[in-house]
Amino acid sequence: MKSGMKKMSAIQFKQALCMELLRCESIVKDTLPAIIKEFDLDDSGGISQVELSDVLAMFQGPNGDPVMLKKECEKVWKEAQQLSMAESSQASVSGERHSGDGLSSEVDIRAAAKACRTSEVPRRFIRLHYTPPLPTDESAEEEADMAKMMFLIVKRQWRQHQHCLTRFFAVCGHKENYLKDQATRFVDEANHQRKVQLFFTITLTLLEHQLLNLKQKCSPAALAADPRTDVEAMFNRIANAIKVLYGHKCLLQDDFTASEIRAASPTGGVVIGKARRLKQDQMSVYNAVQAKIEQYAAQLIGQKYITGIQRWRKQAEKTLSRKHRGLAAT
């Protein structure tokens, strides 16, 4: 439609009305206790009939009908007394102040809030002053699109790294069964937001376990029990992981650049010596990575070469068979 309004079926309209009713009811339920508590001047945790009358008068405003307000106050107060007595009897609470008719002179704030929810006066006030408008369709669609995008991202990430991540579950001790359960829930979950949350739970648990493991191994008691623990190597792995998390594009590239700057700076032989030793460590890592890359490249080239030879052989066989058929026809 030109005005931007969208048509909906009768069922969709009824569902939208029910959702709006639930939203308004939730706001009334959450807002009323805080408003009523402001009128508890003696901070006793309860509210008297006079204080409740002040609350309803504030809800009605200066232009309300006093006769109708008095009737509404009496009705809400009786309802609040019954609710408060029911709650106190269930919890077996005694020691409240009672008036001559056997009813308490104060009621609990929660009971007063529940009684006020039966009156139209506070409900109308909260709808007018405390209920925010519904979000527009555009923002809702954008949120749905973002949730779907995150769903696809974590699904792709899990598909790529599932075999590696699940192998780490076995070294997480008492967290292993918990991680397996979270992974099963992640695979079966269809809700976009819950699936993203489960992915973050799994990765966060793995990170926390590794940090706590490092902390335990660095304690004096653990080092005394096993002096051969390579704590420096563990710290190096943690530092490298933090670099990647905070945007280091490539450990080798960025570390080599930093080492070259340090080695070229005239800051003394000690710093230059440390930079050179760091570069030697990085070169050993680079050589190990380069060897694996070359091995993988050789395998890939060999596979492509074999595939090309097989394709060429098939084409040659087809050409020869066509020539043989032509000679036989002549």
Side-chain angles (χ1 to χ4, degrees), residues 137-278:
D137 292 341
E138 290 79 6
S139 61
E141 290 176 0
E142 288 179 359
E143 290 181 2
D145 291 341
M146 292 299 103
K148 186 176 181 180
M149 182 188 71
M150 288 300 302
F151 172 83
L152 295 175
I153 289 174
V154 298
K155 188 176 179 180
R156 182 168 61 246
Q157 290 294 314
W158 182 257
R159 187 169 58 249
Q160 292 176 356
H161 306 293
Q162 174 185 3
H163 299 291
C164 182
L165 292 177
T166 51
R167 282 204 308 268
F168 299 151
F169 293 174
V171 300
C172 289
H174 65 281
K175 291 284 187 178
E176 180 181 2
N177 292 330
Y178 172 75
L179 286 167
K180 288 181 178 179
D181 178 64
Q182 295 297 307
T184 303
R185 290 178 57 194
F186 174 84
V187 174
D188 298 336
E189 184 59 62
N191 183 272
H192 294 173
Q193 294 182 353
R194 286 197 292 267
K195 198 175 189 76
V196 173
Q197 187 62 38
L198 286 169
F199 182 79
F200 281 120
T201 301
I202 293 170
T203 53
L204 182 61
T205 304
L206 289 171
L207 290 172
E208 287 180 344
H209 172 78
Q210 193 65 9
L211 290 173
L212 292 174
N213 185 38
L214 175 61
K215 183 180 179 180
Q216 292 174 357
K217 288 186 176 181
C218 291
S219 64
L223 291 174
D226 187 8
R228 295 174 299 175
T229 304
D230 194 354
V231 178
E232 187 171 359
M234 296 176 66
F235 272 112
N236 189 43
R237 289 198 299 271
I238 294 294
N240 288 336
I242 291 174
K243 284 194 228 179
V244 173
L245 286 173
Y246 278 85
H248 237 45
K249 296 179 183 177
C250 175
L251 290 174
L252 293 174
Q253 177 185 346
D254 292 341
D255 288 343
F256 267 102
T257 304
S259 299
E260 291 290 344
I261 293 173
R262 273 197 215 122
S265 62
T267 54
V270 177
V271 177
I272 294 175
K274 290 183 178 179
R276 286 176 179 171
R277 286 195 297 273
L278 179 61

Side-chain angles (χ1 to χ4, degrees), residues 22-42:
L22 292 175
R23 185 178 78 95
C24 293
E25 287 295 320
S26 176
I27 294 171
V28 170
K29 183 179 179 181
D30 296 339
T31 307
L32 269 174
I35 297 176
I36 295 175
K37 188 174 176 59
E38 295 178 0
F39 288 81
D40 181 18
L41 302 179
D42 55 357

